[in-house]
Amino acid sequence: MTCFRRSLLTGALAASAALATALMAGPSFAQGAYPNKPVTLIVPAAAGGPTDTVARLIAESMTKTFGQTVVVENVGGAGGTIGMAKVARAAPDGYTIAVWHIAQSTAPALYDGLKYDVVGDFDHLGRITDVPMTLVSKAGLPPKDIAEIVAWMKANQGKATYGHAGIGSASHLCMLILMKELGIKMEGVGYRGTGPAMNDLISGTFDVMCDQTTNTTGHIKDGRIKGYAVTTKSKVSSLPDLPTLDGGTLPGFEVSAWHALWAPKGLPKDVTDKLVAALKVALKDPKVKERFASLGTEPVAETQVSPEALKTYLESEVKRWDAVIKAAGVKASN
Ligand code: ASP
């Protein structure tokens, strides 16, 4: 073999070895396949609360679908605006996503100088569920039914206290509307989420709360708190003894905490498609459906699980709550 032929052969061998190494381990090849590392799912509320419960069920199913861990990170505070600001600033690569709720639509009206645009700074992936809410109190409060708790709140306004997850959170919004309808004022006690608020309601630190069935159902059933009514137009099958507020006390009263999946604006199309597909799988997952049902909710219709449907819905909710919040004259200070 001449020297020339040997160096050609050596060169070819070296080149194919380098190619094989790149094919086996090269990050540039693996990078194409999303997701190739854990995905962070931000919950803009404290651990152990209702949004956290919904998000962890979705994360568990997505983990199975992706073969990569979807890790929940709780970033509570300021009615979810701290967590959603973090999502808006994250790289739009699909490795930071968020499960949040109706508060995404109330934040613009409530927070002057909000650090992000709730529509323009996000990719809207799909709705998840509409969770009914419940009017509840600490177990030691005397009222036994909806008429009695309404009379009690009226008689004790000024000294009665309610818990909420920050200005603009679902629990805050629900109580705000309730107080406006009843023409009363109670003192709010803010938390980073209604997970910790629930612990304090159970220990009797404050009096009443309006919170999602995903946080209240078990505690009502176990007698740790009292449940009086649901905030949806129809009764909730997991809490059959509770009347609707609409049905008697407050005709027309309706508020539920819709949840959705978001990402920072600018995801590559294939990443969006994979996330939406994984969300659809999660919402058909028997474990998710069963758990949702036991907590008084269900997945939204599949037609709602799309970027276009969520964007349209969010825009209409922003308009709807802007009018309600302006009429109530409420503002948060950032
Ligand atoms: N339920 C809370 C709210 O009122 C949020 C949470 O803790 O998940 O918005």
Side-chain angles (χ1 to χ4, degrees):
M1 194 186 283
T2 65
C3 243
F4 173 66
R5 279 183 65 202
R6 198 165 40 235
S7 71
L8 256 189
L9 189 63
T10 317
L13 281 173
S16 57
L19 180 64
T21 309
L23 278 171
M24 279 188 306
S28 55
F29 286 92
Q31 264 162 17
Y34 169 85
N36 61 12
K37 61 178 185 182
V39 172
T40 299
L41 192 169
I42 290 184
V43 171
T51 313
D52 187 64
T53 298
V54 168
R56 282 178 199 273
L57 286 166
I58 301 298
E60 195 183 324
S61 173
M62 281 185 156
T63 295
K64 275 189 273 164
T65 302
F66 285 153
Q68 286 289 348
T69 316
V70 177
V71 192
V72 171
E73 183 186 333
N74 297 89
V75 187
T81 57
I82 297 171
M84 290 312 275
K86 184 169 179 179
V87 177
R89 285 192 307 267
D93 55 9
Y95 291 100
T96 305
I97 54 176
V99 167
W100 192 218
H101 65 19
I102 185 173
Q104 181 77 348
S105 65
T106 59
L110 285 162
Y111 286 86
D112 281 335
L114 193 64
K115 306 271 182 326
Y116 53 88
D117 176 339
V118 297
V119 178
D121 286 343
F122 296 88
D123 273 358
H124 313 276
L125 298 171
R127 254 164 82 198
I128 299 172
T129 174
D130 292 337
V131 186
M133 302 186 78
T134 40
L135 176 63
V136 296
S137 81
K138 62 184 180 189
L141 222 60
K144 287 185 293 298
D145 58 27
I146 181 63
E148 288 187 16
I149 186 73
V150 166
W152 183 91
M153 289 189 295
K154 283 183 173 164
N156 289 279
Q157 59 165 317
K159 29 182 225 272
T161 47
Y162 71 96
H164 62 79
I167 304 295
S169 61
S171 45
H172 176 245
L173 184 72
C174 177
M175 201 51 98
L176 215 62
I177 306 170
L178 191 81
M179 289 189 299
K180 185 166 182 282
E181 297 288 317
L182 294 174
I184 60 166
K185 276 216 160 61
M186 295 185 290
E187 188 67 33
V189 185
Y191 291 83
R192 293 175 85 79
T194 48
M198 180 56 77
N199 294 337
D200 274 6
L201 183 64
I202 291 169
S203 62
T205 308
F206 60 87
D207 300 315
V208 291
M209 184 157 73
C210 183
D211 197 24
Q212 285 105 295
T213 55
T214 35
N215 202 30
T216 59
T217 304
H219 299 306
I220 294 172
K221 286 186 167 165
D222 293 348
R224 284 190 284 264
I225 58 172
K226 283 183 172 174
Y228 298 96
V230 295
T231 63
T232 38
K233 292 251 171 167
S234 333
K235 289 178 70 168
V236 172
S237 59
S238 60
L239 290 166
D241 298 339
L242 299 197
T244 67
L245 278 169
D246 172 57
T249 318
L250 291 170
F253 190 100
E254 186 181 21
V255 57
S256 58
W258 57 269
H259 290 64
L261 184 68
W262 279 282
K265 178 87 194 154
L267 291 187
K269 167 94 174 64
D270 64 311
V271 173
T272 301
D273 292 347
K274 283 184 182 172
L275 282 164
V276 175
L279 179 58
K280 285 186 177 171
V281 171
L283 296 180
K284 286 192 191 126
D285 185 328
K287 184 174 170 193
V288 173
K289 287 171 82 172
E290 266 167 42
R291 189 84 182 107
F292 273 10
S294 71
L295 295 172
T297 190
E298 58 185 8
V300 293
E302 195 170 347
T303 51
Q304 294 305 307
V305 192
S306 83
E308 303 72 31
L310 174 57
K311 184 165 182 273
T312 306
Y313 188 70
L314 174 64
E315 283 168 339
S316 71
E317 284 285 284
V318 168
K319 275 202 196 114
R320 174 181 170 212
W321 292 115
D322 184 64
V324 174
I325 290 162
K326 280 192 178 133
V330 194
K331 270 281 172 207
S333 46
N334 262 12

